[in-house]
Structure formats: structure tokens, C-alpha cells
């Protein structure tokens, strides 16, 4: 019988899984050339770690240990395949020789996730499959988390992942970074993936914490890698700079977004002295460079809005006219319901809650945001500011039923109490 697993070790391994599983999986895919085998052997390695580290202690550098253990588990699986499926022996021998290659250096391991992202975002896959598969396999988000990001059901999302994996197998999609000539057609999906990863980290869809720093940090790292990759070709595209700027400017506020007890703090109440000025400076420089190119898109415009907030000393001192003007440009090139909702909130800050409420109601009439809690929370705030207490209460209660993040639930509950 294995020794009992200490609670502290269990928590450590859970944290390691969240921070390292994406890198471990990406390296295993390169070594094995088989996504399903890599995924299976990685999970086995973490299970072995739970037992082995109880006796031997945690290695100084857990990632190579996990990769090595997973490789040996994969070898065992490959040998079993050879025994039960003679037609696969040549393929199995080839895969086994790849598994026995020398371990990668740190730099190559760091590049593996970028290779896997481009594989998952191959043009042969449907766009929704590209994004869903990358978020699941590269970044380790659960099916439920990704489904919430897409505002769809987990069952629908799971089917997208299954179909995307099957397409990779059937089309023998290579595990590699595209050439400079191939990059433009592959970039949009990759940028969308990185942005969704950042959003999940910046405002977690569920759980006990407002943010997940490992996800925002990973998204920013991937954004920097894309800039480096493009710089080696013909110079970074404006939208890569725009996305990195957007992430840096939002991430600069992270320390001010929650109290010491984990309570959510809205932008208007944040202590701006806690904002990270180094990240703001870098983000401002990037967004200015992207705007000057005049070939920018929606990420750059969103970064420009974040830059206006970063420059302001307070909510009252914010140039809301400029923000609404930028949203006017944004809805022309990206007329999504969420963009229209954010524009409506900016109009409320410029023209008052009654004007904002009219625009929010117009967005909700289309029905696409019927289950988007922020739409109902924004509507509730307009009613609250107008003194329409009963309607505010109803909208807050609706928003409360739609969010699964604990700090947001507590915030909405406090708003309801204040209405009493």
C-alpha cells in the first residue's frame, strides 16, 4: 500500500499541473508526434509523481522529471501497441526511436508550446476548433472554462475538440512553426487564442480568485514570443504589438483589482498607485507604435482604450469622449455584442446612466448576451444610479445566477444588500 499523500504535496502537484502541464504536453507532442499519446503519458507522469515524491521528495526541477517519466510511460504504451497490432509495428518502432531521443534543452522546451499552438491553429481546422483545442491542450483550461469563454455549452465545446484532434490525425498536420510566408493566414486564430487565455487569467470564469496570474503571465509570454518570431521575418505585425499592449495595460492593474481578503474592486475604486508603471510604459509604447502603422485592428483599438484609462488620474478625470470615439471605430471593424455592451457603458460615463441604459437595452434585445452576467450587472448598475431600485434588484439577481466566480458573486450580493 502506498504511503499516504501529504496534503501539502497534493497541493504542490496541483499547482505544478496548472503551471507546467502545458509545457510538458507540448514537449511530449514533439517527442512522440501523437497528441493523444502525449496527453495520456503526461497524466500518468503526474499520477506517478504523487506517489514517488511522497517517498523521494520533490525534484529541484520538476519539469524534466515529468517529461522523462512521461516518455517512459509512452514507451510502455507503444510496446503494448506493437504486441496487439502487428500492422502498426513500423510506426511504433519509429515513435519509440523518437521517444528515446536526448531530452531537449530549456530553450527548445520553451519553444514547444509555440509550435503546438500553430499546430492546433492550422488552417485545415475550423476556426472554432483551432481556438478550443489550443486552449485545452496548450494552456490546460478545462472544457467548462473554455465553454464559458465562448458562451456555449461544455458538450458543444467537447465535440469541437474531438473533431479537431481527429482532423490533425487524418491530415497528418505537422508539429512546427509556420514559415514567414504561411504566418499571415495562421496569425488571427493564434492571437484569438492568446487573448482568450489572457481573459481567463485576468477575470477567471469561476473559482475563489479574481485573477489567475499563471494564465495572464503565460499569455503575455506567448505574445512576446510571437513578436520575436515575426521580428525574425519582416518585423512585428501591428496587431501582435496591439495585443501585447492590451494585455500589459490590463495586467498592470492586477494588484489593485482585489483587496487583501480577495474582494473584487471596480476600476473606479482602485488604488491607482498600485498599478504597475513599468507595464504601463511598455504597453503605451507598443500601442503608439501599432497606431502609427495605420494597419491596426481590434486589439490595437482596445489597447488604445486601455491606454486612456492608464493615463487618467481617476475615473472622473478619464477622457470618456475619447473612449467612446475609439469604441465607435471598434464597432465598425468588430461589431460583436460584447463590444457594443462596452461602448454602451462608456456612453453612460460620458452622457449619464439613462443614455447608457438605452444602449444596453438595445444590445440585450438581440438576445446574444441573454446569459452573459456582465450585461445584466451593467444594466443593474444603470438602474441603481437612476434610483430605480426594484429594477436594479431584479437585474442584479439575474447577474448573480449567471456568474460562478466567488468574488464577483460576493460583489453582486453586496450590491443587493445596499439596495435594501
Amino acid at each position: 500500500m502506498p504511503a499516504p499523500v501529504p496534503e501539502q504535496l497534493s497541493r504542490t502537484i496541483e499547482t505544478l499541473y496548472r503551471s507546467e502541464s502545458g509545457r510538458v504536453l507540448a514537449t511530449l507532442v514533439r517527442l512522440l508526434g501523437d497528441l493523444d499519446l502525449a496527453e495520456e503519458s503526461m497524466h500518468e507522469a503526474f499520477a506517478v509523481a504523487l506517489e514517488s515524491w511522497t517517498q523521494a521528495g520533490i525534484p529541484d526541477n520538476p519539469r524534466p522529471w515529468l517529461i522523462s517519466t512521461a516518455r517512459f510511460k509512452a514507451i510502455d504504451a507503444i510496446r503494448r501497441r506493437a504486441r496487439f497490432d502487428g500492422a502498426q509495428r513500423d510506426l511504433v518502432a519509429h515513435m519509440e526511436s523518437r521517444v528515446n531521443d536526448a531530452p531537449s534543452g530549456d530553450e527548445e522546451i520553451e519553444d514547444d508550446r509555440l509550435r503546438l499552438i500553430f499546430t492546433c491553429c492550422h488552417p485545415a481546422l475550423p476556426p472554432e476548433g483551432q481556438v478550443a483545442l489550443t486552449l485545452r491542450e496548450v494552456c490546460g483550461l478545462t472544457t467548462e472554462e473554455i465553454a464559458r469563454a465562448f458562451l456555449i455549452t461544455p458538450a458543444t465545446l467537447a465535440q469541437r475538440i474531438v473533431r479537431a484532434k481527429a482532423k490533425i490525425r487524418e491530415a497528418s498536420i505537422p508539429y512546427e512553426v509556420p514559415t514567414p510566408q504561411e504566418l499571415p493566414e495562421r496569425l488571427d486564430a493564434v492571437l484569438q487564442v492568446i487573448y482568450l487565455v489572457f481573459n481567463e487569467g485576468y477575470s477567471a470564469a469561476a473559482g475563489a480568485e479574481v485573477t489567475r496570474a499563471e494564465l495572464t503571465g503565460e499569455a503575455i509570454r506567448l505574445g512576446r514570443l510571437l513578436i520575436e518570431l515575426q521580428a525574425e521575418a519582416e518585423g512585428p505585425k501591428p496587431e501582435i504589438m496591439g495585443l501585447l499592449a492590451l494585455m500589459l495595460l490590463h495586467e498592470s492593474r492586477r494588484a489593485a483589482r482585489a483587496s487583501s481578503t480577495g474582494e473584487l474592486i471596480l476600476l473606479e475604486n482602485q488604488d491607482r498607485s498600485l498599478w504597475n508603471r513599468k507595464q504601463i510604459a511598455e504597453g503605451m509604447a507598443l500601442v503608439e507604435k501599432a497606431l502609427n502603422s495605420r494597419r491596426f485592428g481590434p486589439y490595437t483599438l482596445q489597447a488604445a482604450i486601455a491606454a486612456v484609462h492608464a493615463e487618467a488620474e481617476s475615473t472622473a478625470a478619464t477622457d470618456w469622449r475619447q473612449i467612446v470615439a475609439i469604441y465607435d471605430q471598434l464597432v465598425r471593424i468588430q461589431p460583436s455584442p460584447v463590444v457594443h455592451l462596452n461602448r454602451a457603458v462608456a456612453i453612460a460615463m460620458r452622457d449619464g446612466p439613462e443614455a447608457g441604459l438605452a444602449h444596453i437595452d438595445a444590445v440585450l434585445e438581440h438576445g446574444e448576451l441573454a446569459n452573459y452576467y456582465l450585461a445584466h450587472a451593467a444594466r443593474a448598475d444603470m438602474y441603481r444610479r437612476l434610483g430605480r431600485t426594484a429594477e436594479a434588484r431584479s437585474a442584479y439577481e439575474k447577474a448573480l445566477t449567471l456568474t460562478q466566480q466567488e468574488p464577483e458573486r460576493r460583489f453582486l450580493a453586496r450590491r443587493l444588500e445596499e439596495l435594501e
Side-chain angles (χ1 to χ4, degrees):
M1 178 183 293
V5 178
E7 183 179 346
Q8 184 177 2
L9 175 61
S10 181
R11 288 198 302 268
T12 299
I13 290 178
E14 183 180 347
T15 300
L16 264 175
Y17 184 87
R18 290 178 63 178
S19 64
E20 296 291 346
S21 61
R23 291 183 178 89
V24 171
L25 178 65
T27 297
L28 290 170
V29 173
R30 173 169 56 79
L31 293 173
L32 303 172
D34 184 314
L35 180 56
D36 287 329
L37 179 61
E39 198 170 14
E40 179 185 340
S41 61
M42 180 193 71
H43 287 131
E44 287 191 47
F46 274 98
V48 171
L50 196 60
E51 182 176 344
S52 175
W53 294 354
T54 302
Q55 307 296 332
I58 301 173
D60 292 336
N61 194 349
R63 191 194 308 165
W65 188 98
L66 291 163
I67 291 171
S68 178
T69 301
R71 286 168 60 230
F72 284 116
K73 289 294 181 183
I75 290 172
D76 291 341
I78 290 169
R79 287 172 177 160
R80 288 195 298 273
R81 286 185 187 181
R83 283 200 300 271
F84 292 106
D85 188 355
Q88 296 292 314
R89 282 175 185 163
D90 289 343
L91 174 61
V92 167
H94 173 65
M95 292 177 67
E96 185 171 5
S97 71
R98 294 181 66 179
V99 168
N100 284 309
D101 287 345
S104 307
D106 286 345
E107 184 176 345
E108 192 168 9
I109 290 174
E110 285 301 301
D111 289 342
D112 283 337
R113 293 185 88 180
L114 192 59
R115 291 189 186 97
L116 184 54
I117 283 180
F118 277 107
T119 301
C120 293
C121 294
H122 194 278
L125 303 178
E128 66 274 13
Q130 295 173 16
V131 178
L133 185 62
T134 306
L135 288 170
R136 180 70 187 92
E137 303 302 336
V138 180
C139 303
L141 273 67
T142 66
T143 301
E144 289 74 19
E145 287 171 338
I146 306 167
R148 280 191 288 272
F150 280 109
L151 304 179
I152 59 175
T153 67
T156 300
L157 193 282
Q159 282 302 309
R160 290 182 183 179
I161 292 173
V162 169
R163 287 193 294 267
K165 281 184 175 181
K167 184 65 176 179
I168 288 175
R169 287 193 300 271
E170 294 163 4
S172 299
I173 291 174
Y175 176 69
E176 61 188 15
V177 175
T179 65
Q181 293 73 30
E182 297 171 324
L183 189 61
E185 68 176 348
R186 305 274 293 278
L187 191 58
D188 286 347
V190 174
L191 293 179
Q192 186 182 6
V193 166
I194 293 173
Y195 188 42
L196 284 172
V197 173
F198 180 83
N199 278 342
E200 177 58 31
Y202 184 72
S203 184
E209 298 181 359
V210 175
T211 62
R212 292 172 60 181
E214 74 278 8
L215 287 180
T216 56
E218 181 61 24
I220 290 170
R221 189 188 74 84
L222 291 172
R224 294 191 194 281
L225 276 177
L226 275 183
I227 284 183
E228 291 173 11
L229 174 69
Q230 191 66 20
E232 294 173 1
E234 56 190 39
K237 300 287 186 185
E239 275 297 83
I240 303 178
M241 293 188 291
L243 176 58
L244 181 56
L246 175 61
M247 294 189 296
L248 287 167
L249 289 166
H250 281 317
E251 179 70 358
S252 70
R253 307 177 200 155
R254 184 163 60 85
R257 294 187 63 238
S259 70
S260 58
T261 57
E263 301 305 314
L264 179 66
I265 302 175
L266 297 184
L267 178 65
E268 62 195 73
N269 298 320
Q270 288 175 15
D271 179 355
R272 300 189 179 211
S273 69
L274 297 176
W275 289 5
N276 187 315
R277 294 296 156 184
K278 183 178 179 181
Q279 289 177 329
I280 289 174
E282 184 181 1
M284 298 281 278
L286 283 167
V287 74
E288 183 176 354
K289 190 173 181 180
L291 288 169
N292 287 339
S293 74
R294 301 194 180 281
R295 291 181 290 116
F296 53 81
Y299 296 115
T300 300
L301 288 173
Q302 290 176 73
I305 292 168
V308 176
H309 285 295
E311 289 178 317
E313 294 181 358
S314 66
T315 299
T318 302
D319 189 344
W320 291 103
R321 291 185 180 278
Q322 185 180 2
I323 288 177
V324 172
I326 299 172
Y327 270 122
D328 290 342
Q329 294 183 63
L330 185 57
V331 295
R332 284 196 289 270
I333 63 174
Q334 192 184 56
S336 74
V338 172
V339 171
H340 277 287
L341 174 65
N342 292 338
R343 177 177 175 271
V345 173
I347 288 173
M349 299 303 294
R350 183 192 67 180
D351 301 336
E354 192 164 351
L357 182 60
H359 284 276
I360 292 172
D361 285 344
V363 174
L364 284 171
E365 279 179 10
H366 291 284
E368 294 165 285
L369 298 184
N371 293 319
Y372 187 51
Y373 84 93
L374 285 175
H376 297 283
R379 195 167 187 240
D381 189 55
M382 299 301 121
Y383 284 133
R384 181 183 65 84
R385 291 166 60 186
L386 289 167
R388 294 163 64 174
T389 304
E391 292 156 304
R393 182 181 297 109
S394 177
Y396 276 129
E397 288 172 348
K398 177 67 173 177
L400 191 57
T401 65
L402 294 173
T403 181
Q404 297 184 53
Q405 189 199 91
E406 286 307 314
E408 288 173 338
R409 290 183 61 81
R410 291 196 298 270
F411 174 82
L412 293 171
R414 284 199 307 274
R415 283 290 202 224
L416 279 167
E417 288 174 5
E418 290 166 3
L419 291 176
E420 298 297 331

